[in-house]
C-alpha cells in the first residue's frame, strides 16, 4: 500500500487549490491511510480482459442541432447577480499570473 | 386539523381535487408542523410556504413537496448544505423542478443534506445535522437525510432526493419511508449540483410505493439539457400498483455475510411474505460488495475532485476556503488517485472492476427478475457516529453500492420497526436497467401484504 506523508498531503492540497492548516494535514493523512486501506483490495481482483466502464447507459455520440435556445439564456444582469465582485458588466477574477510582482 | 399532513400524496391529490380542503388550508397545516418541529430537527434549510396558486386542474393539484437543497430552484437559495454556496440563488430551475412545477407541485421547502451530498448521515452539513424524526437521538441517514426526514415528520406530501450510492435508499430506510432510486439516465441531472456525474440519480422519497410511482412519472424522461438521459420514453409507472407478483423470480443477496446479523432474520421473513404472494424466492451469491465500496470510493472521489474544481467563487458562491473538511478530504483523495502514476493503479482498475459487477448482475438477472437485500446493515446510528470515521458512509452503504456503480434501479421499503426505539429496517429491491416497473411492482405488493407502512394503514 502506498504510504502517504504530510508533505504529500500538502502537495495534493496545493494541486487541488485548497488551503489546509496543520491540524487538517495531520487529520487528512490519517483519513487517507484509512481510505487507501479499504480501496487496496482492488489490487487483488483479476481484471485482465475487462474493459473499463466509464458510463452505464450504453449511449454513444449524442448530438443535438446547433440551435440557439433563448429560453435557457440569461440576461447579463441575471448572470452577474450571484457574483461577489463585478465591474462594468464583467466578473472580476483574482490575479493568477505574476502573483509575486 | 393537522391530520391533513399525514395524507399520502395520492390521497392529497384526490382530496384537493374533491375540494375536501383548499390548498391554503393544507399549506397552513404543513406550516404548523414545520414551525413546531423544524427548529429542533433541522430538516428544512429554507421554507417557501407562501404564494402558491390553487391548481386543481393540474396532475399534482398543488401538492406540497420538499426538494433536496442540491437541486437548483430559480431565485430560491440553493446551497448543497455548504457555506461555499451560502446565499446563492440560481438563475434557473433544474429540469426536474421545471417538470414538477408544470405538473402543479407546490415546492414548500429545501431540505438538509450532507454538504455536497458527501456522506450518509447529514452530519457533514455545514448548516448543522438533521435529527431522525422517529427518534431524535439518532441520525436520519444521508445524504438525502433532510428529504427522508421531511416525509417521516409529515412536513410535506412527498420529497425529492438524489442518490449517488445509497443517498435516497439509506435515509429512507433509517427514517422508515419509501425511497426510489431510478436507473442512471432515467431522470435528468440538469440543475442538480454534481457530485459523481456517472452515478448521480434524482428520485422520489415518499410515504408509499404508489406515491413514488406517481412522482417518478413526472420527473422521468429524456432531457436535451442532459445528454446522459435515455431517449426511450418513460412508461406510466403507476400501472405497476396492485399487480400480482405470482411466479416472479426473486433472488436474496448477501445472506449470511459478516455484519448483517441484525437484519438477516428480517430478510428471511421478507422472503416468506413474497413466497406467500406466489413469488419464487431463492438465495443467491454475488460478487463481494466490499469490492463495490472500493470501486465507488475511487470513482466518486475522482469525479468529485473534477466537479468541485469549478467552485472558485467568481461567478457565484464563496471561495474555496469555505469547503468543510469532508469535501476537502474527498477532493484531495480524488486528486491523488487521478494523478500521474496512480491513475492506473486506482481509477482504471476501479472502472474495470465496475465492468465485472455489470457482468455479474447480467448473470444474476438471467435467473431472477429482481434481487433483494437489506438496505442498510442495521438501524439508524446514534448522533455523532461519523466523528473520525473517514469511510462511514461507504461502509453503511455497502449493500447499495453494487447497484449504484452499475446504474440499476432500486427501492427501499420499510420491513421492520423496533417497538422500543421506533427505528426502522429497510428492504432493498433491485431490477435490471430501465426496469423500475419491476421494483415498484414487488415493493407495492410487499408493502400491502405487511403492516409496516403507517400511512397506508391509515388510509
Amino acid at each position: 500500500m502506498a504510504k502517504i506523508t504530510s508533505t504529500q498531503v500538502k502537495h495534493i492540497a496545493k494541486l487541488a487549490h485548497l488551503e489546509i492548516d496543520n491540524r487538517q494535514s495531520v487529520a487528512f493523512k490519517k483519513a487517507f491511510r484509512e481510505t487507501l486501506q479499504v480501496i487496496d483490495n482492488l489490487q487483488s481482483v483479476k481484471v485482465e480482459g475487462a474493459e473499463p466502464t466509464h458510463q452505464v447507459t450504453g449511449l454513444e455520440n449524442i448530438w443535438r442541432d446547433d440551435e440557439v435556445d433563448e429560453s435557457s439564456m440569461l440576461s447579463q444582469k441575471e448572470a452577474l447577480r450571484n457574483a461577489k465582485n463585478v465591474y462594468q458588466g464583467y466578473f472580476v477574477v483574482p490575479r493568477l499570473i505574476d502573483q509575486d510582482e | 386539523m393537522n391530520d391533513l399532513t399525514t395524507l399520502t400524496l395520492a390521497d392529497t391529490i384526490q382530496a384537493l381535487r374533491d375540494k375536501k380542503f383548499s390548498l391554503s388550508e393544507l399549506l397552513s397545516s404543513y406550516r404548523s408542523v414545520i414551525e413546531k418541529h423544524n427548529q429542533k430537527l433541522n430538516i428544512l434549510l429554507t421554507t417557501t410556504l407562501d404564494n402558491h396558486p390553487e391548481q386543481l386542474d393540474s396532475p399534482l393539484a398543488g401538492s406540497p413537496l420538499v426538494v433536496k437543497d442540491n437541486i437548483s430552484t430559480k431565485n430560491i437559495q440553493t446551497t448543497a448544505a455548504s457555506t461555499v454556496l451560502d446565499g446563492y440563488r440560481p438563475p434557473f430551475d433544474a429540469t426536474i423542478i421545471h417538470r414538477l412545477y408544470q405538473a402543479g407541485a407546490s415546492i414548500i421547502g429545501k431540505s438538509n443534506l450532507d454538504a455536497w451530498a458527501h456522506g450518509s448521515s447529514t452530519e457533514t452539513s455545514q448548516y448543522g445535522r438533521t435529527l431522525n424524526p422517529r427518534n431524535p437521538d439518532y441520525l436520519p441517514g444521508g445524504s438525502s437525510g433532510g428529504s427522508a426526514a421531511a416525509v417521516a415528520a409529515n412536513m410535506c406530501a412527498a420529497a425529492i432526493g438524489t442518490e449517488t450510492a445509497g443517498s435516497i435508499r439509506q435515509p429512507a430506510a433509517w427514517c422508515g419511508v419509501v425511497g426510489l432510486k431510478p436507473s442512471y439516465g432515467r431522470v435528468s441531472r440538469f440543475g442538480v449540483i454534481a457530485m459523481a456525474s456517472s452515478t448521480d440519480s434524482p428520485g422520489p422519497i415518499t410515504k408509499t410505493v404508489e406515491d413514488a410511482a406517481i412522482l417518478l412519472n413526472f420527473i422521468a424522461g429524456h432531457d436535451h439539457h442532459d445528454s446522459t438521459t435515455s431517449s426511450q420514453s418513460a412508461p406510466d409507472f403507476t400501472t405497476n400498483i396492485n399487480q400480482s407478483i405470482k411466479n416472479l423470480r426473486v433472488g436474496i443477496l448477501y445472506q449470511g455475510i459478516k455484519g448483517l446479523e441484525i437484519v438477516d432474520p428480517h430478510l428471511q421473513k421478507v422472503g416468506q411474505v413474497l413466497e406467500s404472494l406466489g413469488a419464487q424466492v431463492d438465495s443467491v451469491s454475488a460478487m463481494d460488495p466490499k469490492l463495490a465500496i472500493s470501486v465507488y470510493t475511487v470513482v466518486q472521489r475522482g469525479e468529485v475532485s473534477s466537479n468541485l474544481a469549478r467552485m472558485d467563487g467568481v461567478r457565484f458562491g464563496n471561495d474555496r476556503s469555505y469547503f468543510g473538511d469532508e469535501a476537502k478530504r474527498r477532493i484531495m483523495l480524488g486528486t491523488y488517485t487521478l494523478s500521474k502514476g496512480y491513475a492506473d493503479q486506482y481509477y482504471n482498475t476501479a472502472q474495470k472492476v465496475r465492468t465485472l459487477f455489470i457482468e455479474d448482475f447480467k448473470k444474476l438477472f438471467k435467473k431472477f427478475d429482481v434481487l433483494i437485500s437489506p438496505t442498510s446493515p442495521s438501524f439508524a446510528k446514534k448522533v455523532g457516529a461519523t466523528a473520525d470515521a473517514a469511510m462511514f458512509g461507504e461502509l453503511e452503504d455497502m449493500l447499495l453500492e453494487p447497484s449504484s456503480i452499475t446504474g440499476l434501479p432500486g427501492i427501499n421499503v420499510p420491513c421492520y420497526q423496533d417497538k422500543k426505539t421506533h427505528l426502522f429496517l429497510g428492504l432493498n429491491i433491485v431490477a435490471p436497467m430501465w426496469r423500475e416497473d419491476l421494483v415498484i411492482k414487488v415493493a407495492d405488493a410487499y408493502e400491502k401484504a405487511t403492516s409496516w407502512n403507517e400511512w397506508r394503514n391509515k388510509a
Side-chain angles (χ1 to χ4, degrees), chain A residues 1-4 6 8-21 23-25 27-64 69 71-75 77-86 90-94, chain B residues 74-75 86-92 184-185 190 198 222 224-225 227-231 287-288 290-291 293-295 297-298 301 303 312-318 320-321 323-329 331-333 335-337 339 342 345-356 358-359 388-391 395 404-407 433-434:
Chain A
M1 191 185 83
K3 202 161 181 287
I4 300 288
S6 294
Q8 264 177 306
V9 169
K10 283 177 189 155
H11 175 64
I12 296 162
K14 199 178 162 203
L15 289 178
H17 200 233
L18 293 170
E19 278 175 27
I20 57 168
D21 56 28
R23 174 195 66 82
Q24 286 170 322
S25 80
F28 291 172
K29 189 172 78 177
K30 184 175 160 276
F32 260 53
R33 284 184 179 166
E34 226 176 284
T35 305
L36 291 176
Q37 237 163 33
V38 173
I39 65 178
D40 252 25
N41 63 3
L42 287 175
Q43 313 308 326
S44 66
V45 187
K46 287 196 181 73
V47 292
E48 290 80 25
E51 290 293 318
T53 296
H54 298 292
Q55 52 99 350
V56 295
T57 58
L59 297 170
E60 274 179 46
N61 296 338
I62 305 301
W63 301 91
R64 64 166 175 80
D69 173 9
S71 68
S72 6
M73 283 164 58
L74 301 181
S75 67
K77 200 176 146 201
E78 285 171 312
L80 293 171
R81 196 188 64 202
N82 279 289
K84 292 262 181 306
N85 199 354
V86 296
Y90 289 93
F91 296 109
V92 178
V93 302
Chain B
K74 189 171 179 174
N75 296 332
D86 198 66
Y88 169 56
R89 289 180 299 131
F92 69 106
Y184 176 83
F190 180 72
S198 78
H222 181 254
H224 70 278
H225 288 303
S227 56
T228 60
T229 49
S230 169
S231 57
M287 245 173 100
D288 184 357
K290 283 207 182 73
L291 289 171
I293 300 178
S294 302
V295 173
T297 302
V298 172
R301 305 300 192 268
E303 294 184 14
D312 53 15
V314 170
R315 290 157 301 151
F316 52 84
N318 295 305
R320 294 171 77 76
S321 68
F323 278 123
D325 278 12
E326 182 72 26
K328 283 186 177 172
R329 197 154 73 186
I331 293 169
M332 288 169 59
L333 199 96
T335 307
Y336 173 73
T337 53
S339 64
Y342 296 103
Q345 184 183 347
Y346 293 113
Y347 190 74
N348 295 335
T349 305
Q351 299 285 48
K352 286 177 185 169
V353 179
R354 194 179 195 181
T355 306
L356 300 181
I358 292 174
E359 286 167 2
D388 286 327
M391 293 295 282
L395 298 170
S404 301
I405 58 172
T406 50
M433 260 329 247
W434 317 118

Side-chain angles (χ1 to χ4, degrees), chain B residues 1-17 21-34 44 46-56 58-68 97 100-101 103-111 146-147 150-160 204-207 211 214-215 218:
Chain B
M1 201 178 133
N2 265 337
D3 274 344
L4 303 188
T5 64
T6 65
L7 292 175
T8 64
L9 175 64
D11 289 344
T12 303
I13 296 168
Q14 197 55 49
L16 283 165
R17 277 201 201 130
F21 46 79
S22 69
L23 180 60
S24 61
E25 282 173 85
L26 181 62
L27 289 171
S28 67
S29 293
Y30 280 113
R31 187 190 300 275
S32 55
V33 174
I34 292 166
L44 302 179
T46 305
T47 53
T48 47
L49 283 151
D50 298 317
N51 303 323
H52 294 288
E54 300 271 348
Q55 323 192 43
L56 293 186
S58 67
L60 290 172
S63 296
L65 306 184
V66 153
V67 298
K68 192 176 178 181
I97 298 296
L100 289 171
Y101 279 141
S106 305
I107 291 172
I108 61 168
K110 304 289 299 284
S111 56
S147 291
V151 173
N154 292 313
M155 288 186 182
C156 56
I160 298 288
I205 297 181
T206 53
K207 293 172 180 174
D211 287 357
I214 292 171
L215 269 194
F218 297 110

Side-chain angles (χ1 to χ4, degrees), chain B residues 137-428:
Chain B
D137 293 336
Y138 292 82
L139 295 167
S143 63
S144 310
S147 291
V151 173
N154 292 313
M155 288 186 182
C156 56
I160 298 288
T162 61
E163 172 160 331
T164 303
S167 279
I168 285 176
R169 289 173 285 174
Q170 183 257 14
W174 284 17
C175 291
V177 298
V178 172
L180 197 169
K181 176 225 175 272
S183 309
Y184 176 83
R186 176 68 94 184
V187 177
S188 167
R189 294 176 293 113
F190 180 72
V192 176
I193 295 171
M195 203 251 261
S197 308
S198 78
T199 57
D200 287 346
S201 310
I205 297 181
T206 53
K207 293 172 180 174
T208 63
V209 176
E210 182 182 13
D211 287 357
I214 292 171
L215 269 194
L216 185 59
N217 271 359
F218 297 110
I219 59 174
H222 181 254
D223 173 19
H224 70 278
H225 288 303
D226 177 359
S227 56
T228 60
T229 49
S230 169
S231 57
Q232 61 179 308
S233 57
D236 176 0
F237 295 103
T238 58
T239 60
N240 305 294
I241 301 301
N242 294 325
Q243 297 297 311
S244 162
I245 59 163
K246 208 166 171 225
N247 296 328
L248 213 78
R249 299 162 305 165
V250 178
I252 307 187
L253 294 178
Y254 315 133
Q255 285 268 284
I257 70 170
K258 216 176 129 229
L260 301 186
E261 294 75 15
I262 293 172
V263 279
D264 264 348
H266 299 287
L267 212 72
Q268 300 267 2
K269 282 185 200 150
V270 169
Q272 288 160 10
V273 171
L274 296 178
E275 259 175 357
S276 74
L277 295 172
Q280 299 166 23
V281 184
D282 273 309
S283 277
V284 62
S285 55
M287 245 173 100
D288 184 357
K290 283 207 182 73
L291 289 171
I293 300 178
S294 302
V295 173
Y296 172 68
T297 302
V298 172
V299 169
Q300 192 265 358
R301 305 300 192 268
E303 294 184 14
V304 160
S305 71
S306 164
N307 279 324
L308 292 186
R310 85 188 58 170
M311 299 297 163
D312 53 15
V314 170
R315 290 157 301 151
F316 52 84
N318 295 305
D319 66 56
R320 294 171 77 76
S321 68
Y322 284 75
F323 278 123
D325 278 12
E326 182 72 26
K328 283 186 177 172
R329 197 154 73 186
R330 292 191 185 217
I331 293 169
M332 288 169 59
L333 199 96
T335 307
Y336 173 73
T337 53
L338 288 178
S339 64
K340 195 167 181 280
Y342 296 103
D344 209 49
Q345 184 183 347
Y346 293 113
Y347 190 74
N348 295 335
T349 305
Q351 299 285 48
K352 286 177 185 169
V353 179
R354 194 179 195 181
T355 306
L356 300 181
F357 270 100
I358 292 174
E359 286 167 2
D360 191 47
F361 273 119
K362 273 192 185 147
K363 248 191 333 212
L364 290 168
F365 284 126
K366 276 187 187 150
K367 278 192 256 167
F368 298 99
D369 299 300
V370 296
L371 299 167
I372 66 171
S373 75
T375 300
S376 179
S378 188
F379 295 98
K381 291 273 191 298
K382 277 231 156 121
V383 163
T386 63
D388 286 327
M391 293 295 282
F392 175 84
E394 283 61 32
L395 298 170
E396 282 307 314
D397 290 334
M398 176 173 80
L399 304 171
L400 306 176
E401 276 152 357
S403 52
S404 301
I405 58 172
T406 50
L408 305 177
I411 198 167
N412 172 76
V413 267
C415 70
Y416 178 70
Q417 184 178 27
D418 186 271
K419 294 250 166 5
K420 229 163 74 193
T421 61
H422 308 290
L423 297 172
F424 282 85
L425 293 174
L427 160 67
N428 171 42

